Amino acid sequence: MSVLSTPLCRCICGSNRSDDFDPSRVVDAFADDEPPPCTAPMHGYLSYCATTDQPLRGVPIREGGLWLLSAEEEVAMVTLSLYVNGFAFTHKGREHSFSLSPFALVRNCKFQATTSEGIDLSDFKCFKVSLFTQGACFYFGVRATKAEEREAEEERSRWVIDISRAMRLVTQSLFPPFSIACEPIDTVALTQRRLLAGDLLHH
């Protein structure tokens, strides 16, 4: 699916049109598209749900105003609340929350376009949050004038670092206590030729 207009699709951050954030899909029809909660029986492996509707834990570890770049070339100011396991914001009077999983990515990106309303997107220091398992991507930005460009860069960097840290905490919480093993186990023949052993997350 690709609904974001052509100017906003010129994100030069290594993404493509399939990464675009469509609020109507994520906000209005997201629940219908998601699979039901994970109920598969466990057969020797731990299983976790990767849906984004998991409850957000505790109080926000950070809150602040950011510009949300969405479909139809819309640029709207929102208050983003970051939690230890997800984030939330209000868009068009409706609150939306999304829990994070290990299969998510946050990174800087840049737009070089002007919207139909005359908003120059190059004035924004942007970053995106990609939720790969749901096919959703959110673009946020810090607006800056030439005189404030350095401060905007630093603000964006802090957001990216904090969101990345939350993703790392979620990932680490899924691993049981373990240590990487390199040496073979005398009583287990299959380990005689192994190079490395540890835990792995798979979706």
Side-chain angles (χ1 to χ4, degrees):
M1 183 184 67
S2 178
V3 300
L4 204 61
S5 57
T6 300
L8 281 183
C9 284
R10 297 171 185 163
C11 176
I12 54 174
C13 57
S15 62
N16 53 52
R17 294 177 69 93
S18 63
D19 289 332
D20 299 332
F21 167 46
D22 175 9
S24 63
R25 171 181 169 81
V26 175
V27 172
D28 299 326
F30 198 84
D32 296 332
D33 294 339
E34 280 189 347
C38 304
T39 57
M42 292 170 51
H43 298 288
Y45 296 98
L46 290 175
S47 299
Y48 303 95
C49 286
T51 56
T52 61
D53 59 354
Q54 306 297 318
L56 300 181
R57 300 183 60 183
V59 297
I61 58 177
R62 180 173 183 182
E63 286 185 307
L66 289 171
W67 293 91
L68 174 68
L69 285 64
S70 57
E72 291 84 35
E73 301 184 348
E74 179 188 9
V75 181
M77 171 58 75
V78 299
T79 298
L80 183 65
S81 300
L82 177 63
Y83 294 77
V84 293
N85 68 323
F87 62 93
F89 60 88
T90 299
H91 182 250
K92 294 184 177 179
R94 185 175 175 184
E95 185 176 1
H96 316 289
S97 62
F98 301 88
S99 55
L100 296 169
S101 81
F103 307 100
L105 174 70
V106 57
R107 64 179 295 182
N108 293 347
C109 65
K110 183 178 181 180
F111 292 100
Q112 292 181 327
T114 302
T115 69
S116 58
E117 296 181 354
I119 300 175
D120 187 354
L121 299 180
S122 64
D123 291 340
F124 295 84
K125 303 300 179 182
C126 301
F127 64 91
K128 71 175 183 176
V129 180
S130 301
L131 306 178
F132 295 114
T133 55
Q134 288 75 31
C137 189
F138 302 85
Y139 295 93
F140 298 100
V142 179
R143 196 168 193 173
T145 63
K146 291 295 183 181
E148 301 171 337
E149 189 168 355
R150 181 175 178 179
E151 289 80 1
E153 288 275 11
E154 293 174 351
E155 178 73 4
R156 174 176 64 175
S157 295
R158 285 193 293 269
W159 274 109
V160 170
I161 291 171
D162 289 343
I163 296 173
S164 177
R165 183 179 295 114
M167 291 178 178
R168 186 166 62 251
L169 289 174
V170 170
T171 301
Q172 291 174 341
S173 72
L174 302 181
F175 284 98
F178 76 98
S179 59
I180 296 294
C182 299
E183 299 297 328
I185 301 174
D186 294 336
T187 58
V188 182
L190 291 176
T191 66
Q192 298 302 312
R193 300 178 60 185
R194 75 180 182 187
L195 299 177
L196 192 69
D199 286 291
L200 179 70
L201 289 174
H202 178 267
H203 181 268

